[in-house]
Amino acid sequence: MEGLIAIGAGIAALAGLGGGIGIGIATGRACDAVARQPEADSKITKTLLLGAALAEATAIYGLVVALVILFVV
């Protein structure tokens, strides 16, 4: 049973991987957009920061679920 709990926590922790990939892709696209239209820099930056915060929140939720699985279950 302990092995299954560890596997479940590991799978839940993989949410951090998705968040990191999402933030990396978004940052790259934002850099491309600013390079094409420098005058839209502030609007692009605001949207990028909002998207990065949402992606990071998803990764934190996955970490919380992994910790709950490990220490509460």
Side-chain angles (χ1 to χ4, degrees), residues 4-35:
L4 292 177
I5 291 174
I7 290 172
I11 291 172
L14 286 177
L17 182 66
I21 291 172
I23 292 171
I25 291 172
T27 303
R29 301 289 179 167
C31 289
D32 289 342
V34 170

Side-chain angles (χ1 to χ4, degrees), residues 33-34 37-46:
V34 170
Q37 291 184 332
E39 65 275 0
D41 180 38
S42 65
K43 190 180 255 188
I44 293 168
T45 302
K46 288 177 189 174

Side-chain angles (χ1 to χ4, degrees), residues 3-4 13 19-20 24 28 30 34 38 44-45 47 55 59 61 67 70-73:
L4 292 177
V34 170
I44 293 168
T45 302
T47 306
Y61 293 149
L67 291 174
L70 279 176
F71 295 115
V72 176
V73 174

Side-chain angles (χ1 to χ4, degrees), residues 43-67:
K43 190 180 255 188
I44 293 168
T45 302
K46 288 177 189 174
T47 306
L48 171 67
L49 290 177
L50 179 63
L54 292 174
E56 191 66 30
T58 304
I60 291 171
Y61 293 149
L63 175 66
V64 169
V65 169
L67 291 174

